[in-house]
Structures are given as C-alpha cells and as structure tokens.
Amino acid sequence: MTEPIPVTRAVDHGIAKLMPDVDRARAWLLTVDGAPQSYVDLDAPTHLEFEYARRIGHVLDTVAEPGRPLDVLHLGGGALTLPRYVAATRPGSRQEVVENDRALLELVTGHLPLPERSGVTVHTADARAWLGQAPDGSADVLIADVFGGSRVPAHLTSLAYAHEVRRVLRADGVYLANLPDGAPFAFLRSQLATFAEVFEELAVIAEPAMLRGRRFGNAVLVAAHRPVDTAALARLTAADAFPTRVAHGEALRDFTGDAAVVRDENAVPSPQPPDGAFTIG
C-alpha cells in the first residue's frame, strides 16, 4: 500500500501543510505557517486529538440528549474536525461552516473529503459578515474557532458581535469559543465581561495551570441563556488525559473582576502566543 505523503500549499493566509500521522492510517495534521490548526482521522471522526477540541466535544455531547440532530454554525473551518465529529455523533444534523480562506478550504475538502450526506455545507466568507446575514434563531450551537494567524480577530470579540451571536442562536442555544490567553488574562477577562452583558450563563473550561497564570493556553468559553450542565462537563473533562477545570458562577465572576466590556471601536485581537506555547496533544 502506498504511504501517504505530506502536502504543502500556499493558501490565502499562509503556507498550509497536511502531514500524515505515522501511527494512524488515515489521520492528518493541518498546520498553517507552522502552527498546528487541526487534526483529522478519516477513519475515526470522533477522535479529537487537540485538547481544546475535546473540551468543545464534551459540550457538544451534553447540550442535548445523545444522538439528537442539531443545527450548528461553525465560524472557522480548519480541517473540519468538529463538523465531522457532530456528523458522526449526531447524524442528521445540519451544519454550516464559514471559512474565509478559500484555498485552505479547497485543500482540506480535496484531500480530506467529507463523507457523503454529511449534512455539512462550507462557505467562503468573513465570519462576522456571514453572521450578520444569518437568520434569527437559526442555530442550536454556534462555535467560534477563528484565527488570523495565531490570534482571534478583533472584530469577533466585541459587544456588537456578541449581540449578533445571541440573535442567531435559538432561545436554548449555546455559544462556544476557543480563546487563547495567558496571565494577566486581559483578553479572556474582557471576553467574559462582554458576553456576560448578553448571556445569563457563562462557563470556562481550561487547564488549572492556565487559570492560575502558569502557562499560556486555550480556554473554551460557553455562553447560554439556560443553565450549563457544569457537573457533567466537570466529570467528562476530569477524565481527559490532561484534566481541566470548569469555572462558573461566583468563581468566574471573581476571575472576571472589573474587566471592561469590549466595543467595536476599542476591540483588539487576542494576544500573540509566546514561542512554543502550543504543542500537539
């Protein structure tokens, strides 16, 4: 059998590489400009290699009864890891993926095709612009995993953006965002303050060492108008290879402190990660 070979291509926002995993027959790592972006196992779409993706997967598993189809809007596509996960765990789901790098989408869908009748539709567009045109109350879940290089773009951090998220979600919908930061957490705290203006319930899933300021890392923000099942999430995340903490309620309000709400006019991207901040695991 022919061994898979790496694929390198200039895309709209850098140099993308698809590299086969020598330990898994049809698994691939996607990097852009050397930074790990996504991991996909075509034979096992429920395998989530990256820690932040597993955390989002745990939320997806708990937002509704097992197997119930969902309408999911993904802002940011990567290698379509999470859309594949939802299609496998919740057959019949309708999913829209918005990715502004057309060449990257073409690379991914060409070399790592979606299964037939996956229910996933991909679009090339700016995430904020697409969200502004999305119908009211059209999504059960909205996932934001958008990066310009290794930073969350500023226009996806503001109060106006949060209001658009609320408009597009159904009344019992859930918002999930992948947010990188490190001490003193000016970015993460500002996002908590901003989304607390719009949503009644917030939770953050992150490694304890990150929340104690010992390392730069990814936190998953969960926002909703209904209670988040933090007990179930705590059980699931505690069983991961790298256990995480689910912060909510008074502890999360204390963490947020007096952080200011972000407006469009003063929005900034997430901080530049330090060299070596992100590893594959």
Side-chain angles (χ1 to χ4, degrees), residues 75 126-128 131 144 146-148 151-165 175 177-180 186-198 221 260-271:
L75 303 181
D126 173 80
R128 177 83 177 261
L131 189 66
V146 183
F147 286 82
R151 307 174 74 182
V152 176
H155 69 310
L156 301 181
T157 68
S158 70
L159 183 61
Y161 164 74
H163 278 292
E164 284 294 272
V165 168
Y175 175 71
N178 179 21
L179 303 176
F187 177 73
L188 180 56
R189 286 175 165 140
S190 74
Q191 289 305 282
L192 289 167
T194 300
F195 278 83
E197 289 285 302
V198 178
L221 168 66
V261 172
V262 178
R263 312 284 177 178
D264 275 335
E265 56 269 24
N266 60 14
V268 297
S270 63

Side-chain angles (χ1 to χ4, degrees), residues 99-132:
E99 168 61 56
N100 73 345
D101 193 321
R102 181 182 298 275
L104 179 62
L105 266 184
E106 291 173 351
L107 172 67
V108 168
T109 55
H111 288 271
L112 310 176
L114 290 162
E116 292 186 14
R117 296 181 293 278
S118 67
V120 178
T121 306
V122 297
H123 310 273
T124 302
D126 173 80
R128 177 83 177 261
W130 178 275
L131 189 66

Side-chain angles (χ1 to χ4, degrees), residues 145-223:
D145 188 19
V146 183
F147 286 82
S150 54
R151 307 174 74 182
V152 176
H155 69 310
L156 301 181
T157 68
S158 70
L159 183 61
Y161 164 74
H163 278 292
E164 284 294 272
V165 168
R166 180 179 65 178
R167 180 186 63 78
V168 172
L169 283 172
R170 295 187 174 121
D172 61 348
V174 177
Y175 175 71
L176 301 167
N178 179 21
L179 303 176
D181 203 4
F185 301 111
F187 177 73
L188 180 56
R189 286 175 165 140
S190 74
Q191 289 305 282
L192 289 167
T194 300
F195 278 83
E197 289 285 302
V198 178
F199 288 94
E200 297 172 17
E201 300 285 339
L202 297 180
V204 164
I205 309 171
E207 280 191 82
M210 180 210 169
L211 292 177
R212 287 195 292 265
R214 296 179 182 174
R215 62 182 292 267
F216 192 97
N218 294 92
V220 172
L221 168 66
V222 186

Side-chain angles (χ1 to χ4, degrees), residues 18-183:
L18 284 172
M19 294 178 286
D21 185 338
V22 296
D23 295 322
R24 301 176 75 99
R26 294 211 305 150
W28 297 81
L29 170 68
L30 169 68
T31 67
V32 178
D33 290 340
Q37 297 289 323
S38 302
Y39 181 100
V40 168
D41 187 334
L42 296 177
D43 292 330
T46 61
H47 175 75
L48 300 176
E49 182 77 8
F50 289 179
E51 295 165 32
Y52 87 87
R54 288 198 293 273
R55 296 166 196 164
I56 293 176
H58 292 323
V59 180
L60 290 168
D61 290 344
T62 59
V63 295
E65 57 270 24
R68 191 190 107 190
L70 297 172
D71 292 337
V72 185
L73 174 58
H74 302 260
L75 303 181
L80 307 177
T81 303
L82 291 168
R84 299 173 202 268
Y85 181 84
V86 172
T89 58
R90 296 181 177 277
S93 294
R94 295 181 298 181
Q95 301 187 78
E96 305 278 346
V97 179
V98 182
E99 168 61 56
N100 73 345
D101 193 321
R102 181 182 298 275
L104 179 62
L105 266 184
E106 291 173 351
L107 172 67
V108 168
T109 55
H111 288 271
L112 310 176
L114 290 162
E116 292 186 14
R117 296 181 293 278
S118 67
V120 178
T121 306
V122 297
H123 310 273
T124 302
D126 173 80
R128 177 83 177 261
W130 178 275
L131 189 66
Q133 298 177 10
D136 293 0
S138 56
D140 296 306
V141 181
L142 198 162
I143 301 173
D145 188 19
V146 183
F147 286 82
S150 54
R151 307 174 74 182
V152 176
H155 69 310
L156 301 181
T157 68
S158 70
L159 183 61
Y161 164 74
H163 278 292
E164 284 294 272
V165 168
R166 180 179 65 178
R167 180 186 63 78
V168 172
L169 283 172
R170 295 187 174 121
D172 61 348
V174 177
Y175 175 71
L176 301 167
N178 179 21
L179 303 176
D181 203 4

